[in-house]
Amino acid sequence: MTPLTRNIQKVTTHVLQEMKLQGEKIAMLTAYDYSFAKILDGAGIDVILVGDSASNVMAGHTSTLPITLNEMIYHASSVARAVKRALVIVDMPFGTYQGNSKEALSSAIRIMKESGADAVKLEGGKEVQESIDRILSAGIPIMGHLGLTPQSIHKFGTYVVRATTDAEATRLIADAHILSDAGCFGIVLEKIPAKLAAQVTKEIKIPIIGIGAGREVDGQVLVLHDMLGITQEFSPRFLRRYHNLYEEIKGSVSTYINDVKSLDFPNEREQY
Ligand code: KIV
């Protein structure tokens, strides 16, 4: 199969829809800054998510709840400045869309206006439907997020696999239909049984991106710092580590410290 996206100058939500129709998998990663976003875009990633996981991996919080709208806009604008080809999606942070739909719209407008990103993502189904309708009516594309929704961690108390009971699975499928019928362009399914994710992917016509949702979805997303092995403390079963950058960077820094202290750095060629 010829990858549809090979000669595409800019990935749009319509391209993602076409990829689903043609069976080409969508590759998505998070990024939060200019330098990493440039590398990801240069490598040909389809979608970059400026995730509110920035709260954990960039700011060191224990959950995604504390990150603010201003902080998300700062990360998103850094990413958007680097990216030419990938679709850039920004997470709406906790507290900026659940309260009322007017506030949701003004948060989404700020993200789009001030960051230069292409779309927003938000968590939840039926309970945030009014906010979704209002944001979409302003022409702002939305990706939904169901299953394990980290902004609701205090409701659930744990990060265990979601939708394992029939009742939860039925609710998740209903929410996926609500998001799709409302006009969202895609849905992230996080940490749910692979069989359920496969069923949703078949039933729902918009692209379904999985994280811990098995392989029978339309694409995959991982947190960049987890897949590169920069973070160490987080190792769920679904995470494939492509590097151990924590150790590699630590090794380079140790060598630098030794070089400075032993007067090996700078040498004669490294001075003026
Ligand atoms: O914030 C994030 O990084 C996310 C992904 C885990 C999908 O929402």
Side-chain angles (χ1 to χ4, degrees):
M1 188 198 335
T2 315
L4 174 75
T5 48
R6 191 174 291 155
N7 297 316
I8 276 178
Q9 303 286 312
K10 173 71 190 170
V11 179
T12 63
T13 57
H14 302 279
V15 170
L16 298 188
Q17 185 64 54
E18 196 53 35
M19 288 171 80
K20 174 163 181 135
L21 289 174
Q22 304 216 5
E24 181 182 339
K25 297 293 178 192
I26 298 164
M28 172 164 154
L29 281 172
T30 65
Y32 319 99
D33 66 24
Y34 178 87
S35 301
F36 268 123
K38 211 171 171 62
I39 297 172
L40 266 52
D41 197 45
I45 198 80
D46 299 311
V47 183
I48 294 180
L49 170 67
V50 185
D52 59 356
S53 48
S55 181
N56 307 91
V57 298
M58 300 303 287
H61 294 298
T62 52
S63 80
T64 58
L65 275 66
I67 200 159
T68 65
L69 187 56
N70 283 343
E71 287 165 343
M72 286 304 295
I73 290 170
Y74 166 78
H75 288 297
S77 59
S78 308
V79 167
R81 277 193 289 277
V83 172
K84 291 194 166 60
R85 181 183 169 281
L87 182 81
V88 178
I89 305 173
V90 184
D91 261 336
M92 297 190 66
F94 176 68
T96 65
Y97 61 94
Q98 295 95 338
N100 69 65
S101 62
K102 280 192 184 153
E103 195 190 345
L105 176 59
S106 62
S107 308
I109 287 176
R110 276 202 62 202
I111 290 174
M112 299 300 283
K113 243 184 189 325
E114 297 176 37
S115 76
D118 303 309
V120 298
K121 175 166 89 55
L122 51 80
E123 297 180 7
K126 194 169 183 286
E127 69 279 16
V128 286
Q129 194 176 355
E130 209 181 301
S131 294
I132 288 174
D133 288 340
R134 201 179 270 261
I135 295 169
L136 287 171
S137 70
I140 299 173
I142 302 180
M143 173 170 263
H145 184 153
L146 300 172
L148 196 161
T149 46
Q151 291 179 11
S152 314
I153 185 58
H154 294 303
K155 177 174 163 196
F156 295 102
T158 73
Y159 288 97
V160 295
V161 182
R162 297 293 199 266
T164 50
T165 66
D166 285 350
E168 286 168 338
T170 305
R171 201 171 326 125
L172 186 140
I173 292 168
D175 278 338
H177 278 282
I178 287 171
L179 296 178
S180 172
D181 293 348
C184 292
F185 70 87
I187 301 172
V188 166
L189 292 182
E190 181 164 354
K191 216 168 176 186
I192 64 166
K195 217 168 140 195
L196 175 61
Q199 184 188 340
V200 174
T201 305
K202 275 203 194 85
E203 258 183 51
I204 302 288
K205 299 292 169 244
I206 56 175
I208 304 296
I209 310 293
I211 173 164
R215 58 196 299 190
E216 285 181 55
V217 287
D218 301 308
Q220 299 291 335
V221 58
L222 285 176
V223 169
L224 183 67
H225 290 59
D226 295 336
M227 63 86 81
L228 291 179
I230 297 174
T231 49
Q232 290 216 306
E233 57 285 354
F234 182 67
S235 50
R237 187 202 300 193
F238 68 74
L239 174 61
R240 185 178 293 183
R241 285 198 201 280
Y242 288 82
H243 247 293
N244 188 350
L245 274 193
Y246 180 93
E247 287 303 333
E248 286 187 38
I249 294 171
K250 201 170 152 201
S252 301
V253 172
S254 298
T255 307
Y256 169 75
I257 294 169
N258 288 337
D259 289 352
V260 168
K261 292 190 185 291
S262 66
L263 287 180
D264 180 78
F265 176 79
N267 62 28
E268 295 205 337
R269 291 184 316 281
E270 292 163 332
Q271 64 187 18
Y272 300 96

